[in-house]
Amino acid sequence: MIAVLTDSTCDLHPDSAKQLGINIIPLQVSLQQRTLLDWQEIDPDAVYDHMRAGGSASTTPVSVAAFTERYRELLASHDAVISLHISGKLSETVRHAQQAATQLGEAGRIQVIDTEVASGPLAELAIVAREIGRAHV
């Protein structure tokens, strides 16, 4: 069985992702003095509301440690992981995913892909990857 992992910039609602069998790892969203997990502690509407009110927001990529932990969890119950992420031109997330796969020594079981996109197109790629993974069971 193949697991599909993407990051929260895909903007798939967590309930939809779960129903589709797609695993999501969150980026961190910083709003002034607070740092929150994207889609877990804050949703995009709240971020946009904050910005419309004049506040600023930024994101922090998923850490190598968080990827390492998630890969271990997924590989315990799956043969392989397809890990699709936000463009490396926009975030260090994909680079951190690659570092985690290398550190685990599981590069043969973890395929990290820089999708070169974000948001809806990233969600679409994750859905397609999930369907391909199911077809090869």
Side-chain angles (χ1 to χ4, degrees):
M1 184 176 240
I2 299 171
V4 173
L5 177 66
T6 190
D7 58 70
S8 59
T9 66
C10 74
D11 288 334
L12 263 178
H13 190 279
D15 293 339
S16 297
K18 185 176 182 178
Q19 184 177 26
L20 292 165
I22 296 170
N23 299 278
I24 297 181
I25 193 163
L27 274 73
Q28 294 181 341
V29 178
S30 297
L31 305 174
Q32 295 167 322
Q33 303 289 337
R34 301 179 324 182
T35 300
L36 307 162
L37 293 175
D38 192 22
W39 279 102
Q40 291 181 13
E41 298 171 334
I42 191 165
D43 65 35
D45 289 338
V47 175
Y48 298 137
D49 289 346
H50 174 79
M51 293 174 69
R52 278 192 286 271
S56 63
S58 63
T59 60
T60 302
V62 179
S63 69
V64 174
F67 272 116
T68 300
E69 181 180 336
R70 183 61 65 91
Y71 288 151
R72 281 189 181 125
E73 291 169 1
L74 292 172
L75 290 173
S77 57
H78 295 82
D79 298 321
V81 177
I82 299 172
S83 192
L84 304 111
H85 300 288
I86 183 174
S87 172
K89 296 176 185 171
L90 301 174
S91 172
E92 294 292 312
T93 297
V94 72
R95 190 165 60 92
H96 291 181
Q98 292 164 337
Q99 290 172 351
T102 300
Q103 286 178 6
L104 280 173
E106 295 285 2
R109 294 179 64 199
I110 303 169
Q111 180 65 47
V112 177
I113 300 169
D114 181 345
T115 64
E116 299 185 7
V117 297
S119 195
L122 178 54
E124 291 175 21
L125 289 171
I127 292 167
V128 168
R130 182 72 220 131
E131 292 305 314
I132 291 169
R134 285 184 176 156
H136 292 291
V137 173

